Amino acid sequence: MGILLISQMRKAIKDYDMIQNGDNIAVGVSGGKDSLAMLYGLSQIKGRIEQSFEILAVTLQLSETNPDTDYIKDFCDRINVKLFIKRTDIEQIVFEARKEKSPCSLCANLRRGILNDTAKTLGCNKVALGHNKDDAIETFLMCMFYEGRLHSFAPVTYLSRKDITVIRPLIYSFE
């Protein structure tokens, strides 16, 4: 991983006060390049910044075979990060029970809720997501065009109903 990406992550963590001493962070790992890069970056930053924190990789399995988690397990083993795989029935709910014609929104909401609940169950007080600057810009444009408002997600968001904080350490990084 490039030193630039780690530097950008460190800057975001400092600028937005994303991590405090004693934090237990559930890192949402989809298996894509953004979440894997973020997990690796956090594993490299851990022990090299002032704050002491723990990380745990969390992958949601949408069905019995989706996604294939073998390569995620291998990656986590190589970087010495514990992986928790949460099996869900999201695929069955979205495609079989609800027969959604536009499944993305429902799937995203279900994934987010299950990830946050799983993080709390595992004793985590924060969830790290792999959203980057491109994602923030895309969200801004979608809100502008489809909702008629100027809005995007924040780098740090406290979810009071779940009592969990979402952080986005890749916020300064482009895809």
Side-chain angles (χ1 to χ4, degrees):
M1 170 181 287
I3 194 157
L4 176 62
L5 186 60
I6 297 226
S7 174
Q8 291 169 333
M9 288 178 68
R10 288 176 68 132
K11 181 169 175 32
I13 289 167
K14 183 177 182 191
D15 287 354
Y16 292 102
D17 198 24
M18 288 184 184
I19 297 176
Q20 286 77 42
N21 277 324
D23 279 347
N24 290 313
I25 304 170
V27 181
V29 178
S30 66
K33 62 185 182 301
D34 293 337
S35 65
L36 292 174
M38 180 187 53
L39 177 62
Y40 180 77
L42 287 171
S43 76
Q44 296 303 298
I45 290 168
K46 185 177 177 232
R48 293 184 174 97
I49 63 173
E50 185 177 315
Q51 300 86 346
S52 173
F53 64 96
E54 297 298 323
I55 58 173
L56 167 72
V58 178
T59 294
L60 301 183
Q61 200 165 25
L62 306 181
S63 69
E64 195 71 29
T65 58
N66 180 13
D68 173 16
T69 57
D70 289 342
Y71 75 98
I72 299 171
K73 288 179 198 171
D74 292 341
F75 182 77
C76 288
D77 287 344
R78 283 196 312 272
I79 64 171
N80 200 29
V81 172
K82 185 176 178 188
L83 171 65
F84 182 82
I85 299 170
K86 173 70 175 171
R87 287 173 176 53
T88 74
D89 54 0
I90 291 175
E91 193 173 277
Q92 179 185 2
I93 292 168
V94 172
F95 294 106
E96 295 172 25
R98 298 271 306 259
K99 296 181 181 13
E100 290 287 322
K101 289 180 178 43
S102 299
C104 294
S105 179
L106 176 61
C107 184
N109 286 335
L110 290 171
R111 283 191 342 255
R112 215 171 16 254
I114 292 170
L115 177 60
N116 293 338
D117 288 344
T118 301
K120 289 297 288 184
T121 300
L122 295 170
C124 296
N125 63 318
K126 293 192 176 163
V127 171
L129 300 178
H131 297 139
N132 58 46
K133 195 180 286 187
D134 285 346
D135 297 321
I137 293 167
E138 180 180 304
T139 300
F140 176 81
L141 292 172
M142 286 175 48
C143 285
M144 188 171 66
F145 291 130
Y146 294 110
E147 299 174 9
R149 66 185 180 121
L150 303 178
H151 174 76
S152 189
F153 53 76
V156 177
T157 306
Y158 176 68
L159 306 175
S160 59
R161 289 190 328 200
K162 297 284 185 179
D163 187 32
I164 201 156
T165 300
V166 175
I167 62 173
R168 295 172 171 94
L170 294 180
I171 196 65
Y172 289 153
S173 306
F174 279 106
E175 192 169 320

